[in-house]
Amino acid sequence: MVQELDFTDVIVIGAGPTGLVAACEAARHGLSVRIVERNATRSTHSKALVLHARTMEVLESLGCISEILQAGKRFRALHVWTLPDRSVIRIDLLRRRWGDTRYPYWLSIPQYETERVLEAHLTSLGGRVAWNTELVALEKQAEEVLVTLKTPEGERKHRARWVLGCDGGRSKTRQLVGIKQPRTDVGVTFALADVQTKTDLVEDEGHVVLADQGLLLIVPMPEPGIWRLIAQVPDESKEMNASDWTELIRVRSGITMEVESLGWTSQFGLTSGVAEQFRNDRVFLLGDAAHVHSPVGGQGLNTGVQDAHNLGWKLALAQRPELSDLERENLLASYQIERQEIARSMVQSTSRATRALTIRNRTSRRLLRSLVRLALSSSRLQDKLGRDVGMLDLRTQGAPRLFNPQLPDGKRLHDHIDPRVPTLLRWQGEELLVRPDRIVAPIGSLPHYANVSL
Ligand SMILES: Cc1cc2nc3c(=O)[nH]c(=O)nc-3n(C[C@H](O)[C@H](O)[C@H](O)COP(=O)(O)OP(=O)(O)OC[C@H]3O[C@@H](n4cnc5c(N)ncnc54)[C@H](O)[C@@H]3O)c2cc1C
């Protein structure tokens, strides 16, 4: 007798931040979801340390922003050291003109905390991560995908309407559907350490040091006395101990920071790349599985979360019977069109910024410092830095994020938009079609299911 196999609307491969958001999105849009993770437990590595304004807006619409804010800490300022003359520019991040967002700051939060909150939120939505469960094979069928998972009890097969590959830079999903992700070597090596220190530096304020010996970043973490250090180092440098780090900071910046002990450490060369496709029929790639880039600017995790937010409502809408086949196909195709464009521009801008900040030639370095000093002396450019890095002005195929002013009722405009279905908004005599991800779409490009007049 043929055994009936389990079926879910969505199988998410990988329980990193992208996969967890993808599973939460699927669940809150009413899709049945299974999320599987190769590892036995959640990672304890701090990796991505910064959440940006646009991502916090996504997590607000998902329903878990208060837990995130509780676990993180706001960056107050960024000091840019344009050595060797010891001049420092202090950018007060909390005083920038951020525009209309409810989250006008960068939030310092280790990735394991972001993942903890997301997993708890998934549980509250009725989902559960299947740990120790690895994707090993995929077979596309006419109306679904047959997925083979390796578990401690042996191999199991499951059927799903959609497979979301959120399985990181070495994505098995990507390999199994034969999508290439050509990589470029950015040509820089970084050493990283989360450290316990004694220092007079003000907590909650970060430092970017453009030293002759190479770039140094000193980033505050939410717990007092704990900092993230990232230093450009020669390729194949030996592993550094606490006193090596103390010395490196002194030599590059003159800052006194006595490193007492090291937590997570890592050394990595940078590569960047974008997958040639983000979709193969019923299989989608999201997060690092689709794009990898330099951590300068802290955009990686943020972009993955926004990929998942872009796709969730589209999968749900695609299941509505009233959509024609053409409408359904256009909607699903728009994921790759929109997110691949954003990923390409992210890879380009982060690679360019990384190359500039790590340039080795002394004359070019001097020129860089002068340019940085000149640019950052402009308050307008400081404001732009906040909004750009905060991803608020990112456009999706030319379409902007819906503005979000404070309203007389004490709420913001986004509070009136249903985060599950497209909405027709009548605002100051105009009609706007707003997608569930709060992007303004051309009128008529989507059926709308909610109406709001303000
Ligand atoms: C040192 C460092 C610093 C960083 N700093 C920042 C920062 O400040 N800001 C920022 O935005 N980003 C930063 N990043 C990048 C960020 O960590 C990644 O972009 C982010 O983790 C991507 O999330 P993801 O869920 O797409 O992939 P991952 O976090 O890689 O998660 C993928 C998951 O899939 C699982 N998996 C893999 N294969 C399978 C399989 N076959 N079956 C089942 N499960 C599988 C893996 O075990 C893993 O848990 C940093 C990265 C590093 C390494």
Side-chain angles (χ1 to χ4, degrees), residues 55-57 59-61 63-70 103:
T55 307
M56 288 187 267
E57 292 185 349
L59 298 175
E60 173 193 275
S61 100
C64 59
I65 189 63
S66 44
E67 293 82 352
I68 288 281
L69 296 182
Q70 223 167 17
Y103 308 99

Side-chain angles (χ1 to χ4, degrees), residues 96-113:
R96 305 278 30 100
R97 283 176 214 269
W98 282 84
D100 57 10
T101 182
R102 189 179 263 147
Y103 308 99
Y105 44 84
W106 298 350
L107 190 78
S108 166
I109 175 170
Q111 186 164 325
Y112 55 77
E113 278 293 278

Side-chain angles (χ1 to χ4, degrees), residues 14 17-18 37-39 48-49 111 135 167 192 288 298 300-302:
T18 305
E37 166 58 52
R38 181 177 61 183
N39 291 340
L49 259 197
Q111 186 164 325
L135 170 76
D167 44 353
L192 170 153
D288 279 15
L301 178 153
N302 289 271

Side-chain angles (χ1 to χ4, degrees), residues 272-333:
S272 62
V274 178
E276 287 177 345
Q277 292 161 258
F278 282 21
R279 175 185 172 211
N280 180 320
D281 198 9
R282 294 178 169 274
V283 180
F284 294 82
L285 299 178
L286 299 83
D288 279 15
H291 43 76
V292 284
H293 35 90
S294 154
V296 166
Q299 309 279 293
L301 178 153
N302 289 271
T303 306
V305 167
Q306 291 171 38
D307 290 342
H309 188 54
N310 181 288
L311 184 59
W313 66 272
K314 291 177 181 173
L315 295 180
L317 191 57
Q319 289 196 191
R320 291 219 181 211
E322 63 269 32
L323 255 64
S324 70
D325 287 348
L326 182 63
E327 284 172 327
R328 187 169 295 115
E329 181 46 36
N330 285 343
L331 185 64
L332 295 172

Side-chain angles (χ1 to χ4, degrees), residues 344-360:
R344 284 190 175 133
S345 98
M346 201 67 71
V347 164
Q348 209 177 40
S349 60
T350 54
S351 300
R352 211 182 284 145
T354 307
R355 287 202 179 97
L357 291 171
T358 55
I359 204 151
R360 288 192 182 106

